[in-house]
Amino acid sequence: MTDIAIRTQGLVKTYGKTRGLAGLALEVQTGEVYGFLGPNGAGKTTTIRLLLDLIRPTSGSAQVLGIDPQVEGVALRARTGYLAGDFLVDGRQTGRQLLTYLGNLRGGVSKDRIGALAERLDLDLDRKIKGLSRGNRQKIGVVQAFMHDPELLILDEPTSGLDPFLQQEFAKMAREATADGRTVFMSSHIMSEVQQVADRVGIIREGKLVTVERVEDLRERSMRKVVIQFAAPVPAEEFASVPGVRDLTIDGAVLRCRLDGMADTLVKAAARHTVVTLSIEEADLEELFFHHYANHGEAGDAA
Amino acid sequence: MLRDPLTKWLWDGRRSLLGWALAVVVLGAGYAAFWPTIDSPAMRDALANYPEALLEALNYTDIATPDGYLSATVYGLVVAILLLVYGIGAGARTIAGDEEAGTLDLVLAHPVSRLRVALQRFGALVISIVLLNLALLVSLLAISGPVGLDGITLGEYAAMHTHLVLFAALFAAVSYGVGAAFGSRAAAIAAGAAVAFLGYLANGVLPQVDGLEWTRNLSPFHWLTGGNPLRNGIQAGDLLIMLGLIVLLVVLGTWRFERRDVAV
Ligand SMILES: Nc1ncnc2c1ncn2[C@@H]1O[C@H](COP(=O)(O)OP(=O)(O)OP(=O)(O)O)[C@@H](O)[C@H]1O
Ligand SMILES: [Mg+2]
C-alpha cells in the first residue's frame, strides 16, 4: 500500500493553443483532506478530469491510488467518488432513479445507504430532478459521490450552491471520510470554504501549483486583528513595545493592530485605561495565504 | 430496469419510442388501408398511362400487386423515412447529444469503460428499432386481412423487416459514429441527413440519367427494397453491405471516442 493517494508529475494539458495545465506536480496523502484552491481558469477542473481519465494529458503522468488512470480507468473509478463542478443530469428522472442507476453501475448501493444520506442532507428523492433547486440538485451530486464510501473523493467545488448549514454538513461528511482513512481532494475558489475542513491546501495558478501549506501552520503563523476602543485617547508608546503587536495605529481613542502570539501583555497594557469595546478577530487565512505566496515572487499576477 | 447503460437508454427513451411507434403504426397501417383504391380496374388503367420513367422514379412499377404496393409506399417510403429520421436522431443522442448536454461526464466517471457505455447504448438503439419494426409488422398483419392485402407470407414479411431494421440501423450508425468520433450532435445529424439525401437521389433520380443507373447500387434505399424482399425473401448481398457498413461505422466511431477527450 502507498500513502500517496494522488501524485502527478509534470502534468501538461493544452487545448489547441490554450493552456489548461502547465506542468502540474501534485501530491495528496492518503487520509487527508486536500483543498485545491485557485482562481477561475487556473486549471482545477482540468486537473480533476485528467485524474478520472475523462480527458487525456498532453504530457506528464498521474498516479491515482497507485493506478495510472489511462491504463486502468475502470478499476480506478470503482474506488473513487466524483462530483463535477457543474453537476448536470437528465432532469426527467427522480433522484432515487438516478442514484439507483449510478449505484448499479458500481455493482449496487443499498437503498438504506442512499436514504440515510438523503435524509442527512434533507433531500427529497422522489421529485423529478428538473423541479429541484440548484442546491438540491447539488445534494444529489454529493450523495452519488459519497454513497459507496470510496477510498478517494474527488470533488470539484462541492459546496457551490449549498447553504451555510449544508456546507457545515458537507464538511462533517468529508471529515468523517478521512477519519475512516479515506482521502478527500476538493477544489474551491476561496480559502474560507476549505479552511475548516482541509488539512492542507495547494494553490494552483495558470496551470501550475504555486504553493502548498498545512492549514494548521497557517493558523499558527497567522495574526489576529485587534481593535480596542478606549474612553479617551491613549499614547502610542505604551503599546508599541508590547510583544507581538504589529502594524499598530492609534486613531484618537481607537487602537488597531495585529497580534502575533499571546494576548496577555496587550490586554494588561490596555487595562490601565478605560476600555469601551474590545474585539479580537480570527485571522483571515485567505489574506495571509495569498500574501505569502505573492511574496514567493510568482510572476504573472497581473489581475 | 436501470441495471446498465443498455436498459437505462431504453428506459430514458421510452416516451419518445412510444410516440415513434404510434407514428409508424398510424402511417404504415394508414397506407395499407388505401390498398383497395389501388387494387381497382380504374386505377390499373390510370397507372398504365403513366410514363414508365415516372413510375420508376417513384418506385411504383409494381404498385398494383400487394408486395409491390407495400414496398413502394410503406416499406420503401413512409416508414423508411420515419425510421431513418428516428435512427439519425437517436444515433446523435447516444453519445454526442448526451455529451453536449454535459451529462455524459457523470456516467463515464463511474467504473464502466467508454467501450461498454457506447456499445450498450448502440445495442439499445438497435433494440428500439426492432421494437418499432415489430409494432409495424403487427399492425400490418392485423390490417392486411380486412383490406385484402394477401399473398404475403410471414417469412416474406420477416425478410422485409430484416432489411428495414438494418436500413434504419445504418442511418443510426452514421450519426452514432460521427457523434461518437467528434462529439458534435449537429455534425452527427448533418452526416445522417446527407447520407439520406444522397441515397434518395442515387436511388430515384440519378438513375434516370443515361449512364448513371449504377448509382442505384450505392443507395441504402435500393438495399432496402431494390431486391423486393417482400416477394423474393432475404437479399443476402444487400443485407451484408448494410451490416458491413454498420459494423465499420460503429467500430470507427467507438474507436475514436475511446481515445478522445470527453467535453464537459
Ligand atoms: N475544452 C476546453 N477547450 C479549450 N480550453 C479549455 C477547455 N477546458 C478548459 N480550457 C481552458 O483551460 C483553462 C483551465 O480551465 P479549468 O476549467 O480547468 O479552470 P478552473 O480552475 O476549473 O476554473 P473555474 O474556477 O472557473 O472552474 C482555462 O483557461 C480554460 O479556458
Ligand atoms: Mg472549474
Side-chain angles (χ1 to χ4, degrees), chain B:
Chain B
M1 265 304 134
L2 307 182
R3 267 179 297 119
D4 45 36
L6 189 150
T7 47
K8 176 78 162 120
W9 192 96
L10 287 171
W11 175 254
D12 285 347
R14 66 195 184 283
R15 286 201 194 86
S16 131
L17 190 60
L18 207 66
W20 282 97
L22 211 64
V24 165
V25 166
V26 166
L27 281 169
Y31 265 86
F34 273 101
W35 167 245
T37 65
I38 303 286
D39 189 24
S40 64
M43 193 62 165
R44 259 179 233 137
D45 290 346
L47 282 172
N49 293 329
Y50 273 45
E52 187 69 18
L54 179 65
L55 292 176
E56 216 165 89
L58 294 171
N59 202 8
Y60 276 9
T61 38
D62 257 352
I63 199 142
T65 62
D67 52 86
Y69 177 71
L70 283 183
S71 279
T73 57
V74 178
Y75 287 108
L77 193 66
V78 227
V79 174
I81 287 173
L82 271 182
L83 286 190
L84 81 81
V85 171
Y86 171 78
I88 291 171
R93 179 161 53 90
T94 295
I95 300 291
D98 197 17
E99 185 173 358
E100 284 189 353
T103 48
L104 183 60
D105 203 56
L106 179 64
V107 176
L108 295 184
H110 281 72
V112 283
S113 65
R114 292 191 194 180
L115 182 71
R116 192 177 138 206
V117 171
L119 292 189
Q120 284 203 10
R121 287 182 174 189
F122 189 76
L125 170 46
V126 172
I127 290 173
S128 73
I129 290 172
V130 171
L131 292 175
L132 291 175
N133 271 267
L134 284 176
L136 176 65
L137 176 61
V138 167
S139 64
L140 285 183
L141 287 178
I143 204 170
S144 61
V147 301
L149 264 172
D150 11 64
I152 303 170
T153 65
L154 197 57
E156 285 158 351
Y157 272 118
M160 185 67 247
H161 278 280
T162 309
H163 279 249
L164 185 57
V165 165
L166 285 185
F167 172 83
L170 173 59
F171 284 94
V174 170
S175 67
Y176 161 87
V178 171
F182 303 108
S184 158
R185 206 176 93 91
I189 288 176
V195 172
F197 179 68
L198 293 176
Y200 194 79
L201 285 188
N203 187 48
V205 180
L206 296 182
Q208 305 304 312
V209 181
D210 276 342
L212 285 181
E213 292 85 358
W214 57 270
T215 59
R216 183 172 282 150
N217 298 318
L218 300 179
S219 170
F221 290 92
H222 183 73
W223 303 329
L224 174 64
T225 51
N228 200 354
L230 264 185
R231 183 182 304 157
N232 306 325
I234 290 278
Q235 302 295 301
D238 294 340
L239 288 183
L240 281 177
I241 290 179
M242 291 196 280
L243 192 62
L245 286 174
I246 292 169
V247 170
L248 184 72
L249 288 161
V250 169
V251 166
L252 285 179
T254 311
W255 182 83
R256 185 80 197 94
F257 175 56
E258 279 191 280
R259 274 152 194 81
R260 68 176 173 85
D261 287 353
V262 172
V264 220

